[in-house]
Amino acid sequence: MTSLPLDDALFDAMETSILPTEEAESLPPLCYTDAAFYEFEKQAIFAKEWLCVGRESWAAGPGDYFTSFIADEPLIVARGRDGVLRAMSSVCQHRAMLVAEGSGKARAFVCPYHHWTYALDGSLAAAPAMERSCKFHREDFNLPVFALEIWEGFVFVNFDKDAAPLAPRLAKVSEVLRGYDLSNATGDKPAGEQRYPWNWKVMFENNNDGYHASKLHQGPLHDFIPSELAEFPDDLPGDTAGYYRTNRTLHPDAAFNATQRAVLPVFPGLSADERHRMVFANVPPTLSLVMTVDSVIYLILRADGPESHRVDQGVLTAPRAKADPAYEQKMAMGFLAASEIIDQDLHVDEMVQIGLRSRFAPRGRYSWQEGAQRLFNTWLVPRYRKAWSERNKAEGCAGESL
């Protein structure tokens, strides 16, 4: 696909996407399709923001590790013998071979190409046959280590070591999620990733969108959570790192299955009022949560191109859920219902991406039921504008020095 030029007019035009919902319009279509914009976005967003890569439980003990890949960066998250969880590049500092794949338990990471060996903290422990290389010092070739933070049991990584801490900027979101006690919620590591041929924002927006629920998902698996009962917060701080929406349900303890009611243990910290709604929480650009009273579906979105991304999708439940002898059967019942709904969403996402490539693709207007889209835009647009301004300033300074 031919890349389009990025200019001041494009970023100025984004201001209409953060107007009040009744006045706002969607982002310019090229933000979802253009290769140059994706390259810009990698620096504006993915190089500076906290990126979810998994759950802390995936590397619970010393030597446990898992790998990830986001915005062209292969990563390892490993628990050292000192008990500290670290995130580092998976790229061998010799010839760029990846030193780890998948997940498991290791005493060290040995590059299969030339057997350079890295300790669990990323330090280079061995480099065979390098004794004749001039001025070679092992300490100069450690794996790059990145900032890491745990929020609600999820592992976040930031390539910018000077980034502001994540948790304080998610205080409002954490307050809404308190009853779920996500740090102690349990769930198996997803068996594998999915890769989808559409922009990461298309999927993120669909996960945020309550407007389509009573239309696209009309039927017995979804009718208990009507779009007209969607609610959007108006008190999120300006520096928030995430946002949420809630949706009242027609009866308490509603859940996505054929019975329309929770079949697994309800999260014990939920109040009576909280048991009469669902929560949709988002920490862009990577984590989206769909929260019912007895389970939490999480999606970890990992952009890998202008029109593609990968997703790790899992389910969390209250810690005592697995004690139920019928746990597997009840989970299967929920999975059957969720799969039908998810398949509808995936088809829409694919068709939206096709539409966004069209020369007739609009900058659409929002319904009040799409308030979460504006919340997403108010997170994105200032970051885009800031990065564009910084780039222009840097290019101007470079021109002045010539």
Side-chain angles (χ1 to χ4, degrees):
M1 179 174 292
T2 302
S3 185
L4 299 173
L6 308 186
D7 55 24
D8 291 343
L10 170 67
F11 293 93
D12 290 343
M14 293 181 183
E15 290 300 300
T16 58
S17 295
I18 59 176
L19 293 172
T21 306
E22 61 271 19
E23 301 175 43
E25 59 184 347
S26 55
L27 293 169
L30 73 80
C31 297
Y32 304 84
T33 62
D34 186 69
F37 189 83
Y38 173 66
E39 291 302 315
F40 164 79
E41 197 172 51
K42 282 163 60 176
Q43 296 303 315
I45 302 295
F46 294 98
K48 298 180 179 180
E49 299 299 326
W50 288 96
L51 311 174
C52 185
V53 292
R55 292 282 293 173
E56 185 178 16
S57 60
W58 299 358
D64 291 345
Y65 74 92
F66 64 89
T67 60
S68 187
F69 179 88
I70 186 165
D72 300 330
E73 291 296 342
L75 306 172
I76 306 171
V77 177
R79 181 85 61 180
R81 291 190 179 87
D82 56 2
V84 176
L85 195 66
R86 296 178 179 87
M88 63 200 82
S89 173
S90 182
V91 178
C92 182
Q93 298 300 288
H94 172 226
R95 295 271 299 281
M97 174 68 184
L98 300 190
V99 303
E101 299 178 75
S103 60
K105 198 174 190 71
R107 298 178 63 183
F109 299 110
V110 181
C111 177
Y113 200 5
H114 301 99
H115 284 206
W116 281 34
T117 301
Y118 298 89
L120 295 173
D121 64 1
S123 59
L124 181 60
M130 293 296 293
E131 66 276 0
R132 297 184 186 180
S133 299
C134 296
K135 298 181 180 179
F136 175 78
H137 305 288
R138 283 189 319 191
E139 61 271 19
D140 296 334
F141 294 89
N142 298 331
L143 296 177
V145 176
F146 309 121
L148 182 148
E149 189 170 331
I150 308 296
W151 178 77
E152 300 289 350
F154 289 97
V155 180
F156 285 79
V157 172
N158 201 314
F159 298 121
D160 180 0
K161 291 186 177 181
D162 297 322
L166 177 66
R169 295 181 293 125
L170 286 174
K172 277 286 185 181
V173 179
S174 292
E175 184 179 322
V176 173
L177 306 187
R178 185 174 294 115
Y180 293 91
D181 190 18
L182 288 181
S183 294
N184 293 307
T186 60
D188 295 332
K189 185 179 185 295
E193 66 180 20
Q194 292 85 41
R195 190 167 189 262
Y196 298 119
W198 52 85
N199 184 270
W200 68 275
K201 294 186 292 298
V202 169
M203 192 154 191
F204 214 95
E205 289 173 343
N206 183 75
N207 296 343
N208 301 337
D209 179 33
Y211 186 33
H212 78 277
S214 292
K215 293 85 174 172
L216 179 65
H217 303 314
Q218 183 178 15
L221 296 179
H222 211 289
D223 285 349
F224 56 83
I225 179 171
S227 296
E228 60 266 25
L229 296 184
E231 298 174 338
F232 308 97
D234 57 8
D235 61 348
L236 290 172
D239 68 342
T240 184
Y243 58 95
Y244 67 91
R245 68 177 174 91
T246 58
N247 211 114
R248 307 297 293 181
T249 57
L250 297 181
H251 55 260
D253 294 344
F256 293 122
N257 61 60
T259 73
Q260 297 189 358
R261 297 182 183 275
V263 294
L264 295 168
V266 171
F267 289 97
L270 296 176
S271 67
D273 183 64
E274 290 170 334
R275 290 172 67 166
H276 218 298
R277 72 181 190 188
M278 292 186 182
V279 180
F280 301 81
N282 306 281
V283 186
T286 48
L287 180 63
S288 189
L289 304 172
V290 178
M291 315 184 74
T292 70
V293 297
D294 68 343
S295 66
V296 174
I297 299 174
Y298 64 86
L299 295 95
I300 300 172
L301 283 68
R302 298 183 282 115
D304 67 358
E307 297 193 78
S308 62
H309 70 286
R310 307 173 192 221
V311 174
D312 303 306
Q313 180 177 310
V315 179
L316 302 173
T317 60
R320 62 190 183 91
K322 284 193 173 183
D324 185 343
Y327 170 78
E328 295 294 341
Q329 290 76 14
K330 290 178 178 179
M331 286 292 288
M333 186 169 77
F335 179 77
L336 183 65
S339 294
E340 182 174 324
I341 295 167
I342 290 170
D343 285 346
Q344 293 169 339
D345 284 327
L346 295 180
H347 178 70
V348 165
D349 289 346
E350 185 173 7
M351 295 301 102
V352 165
Q353 188 68 36
I354 292 172
L356 286 165
R357 298 186 197 119
S358 168
R359 66 182 183 275
F360 302 113
R363 293 193 66 188
R365 295 293 302 279
Y366 292 126
S367 160
W368 71 266
Q369 295 173 3
E370 294 173 287
Q373 307 303 354
R374 179 184 172 276
L375 292 174
F376 184 35
N377 293 344
T378 58
W379 185 91
L380 273 174
V381 170
R383 288 162 170 79
Y384 288 156
R385 295 287 305 257
K386 180 181 179 183
W388 181 250
S389 176
E390 290 173 348
R391 189 164 100 169
N392 283 344
K393 184 177 179 180
E395 290 177 350
C397 291
E400 290 173 5
S401 66
L402 292 178

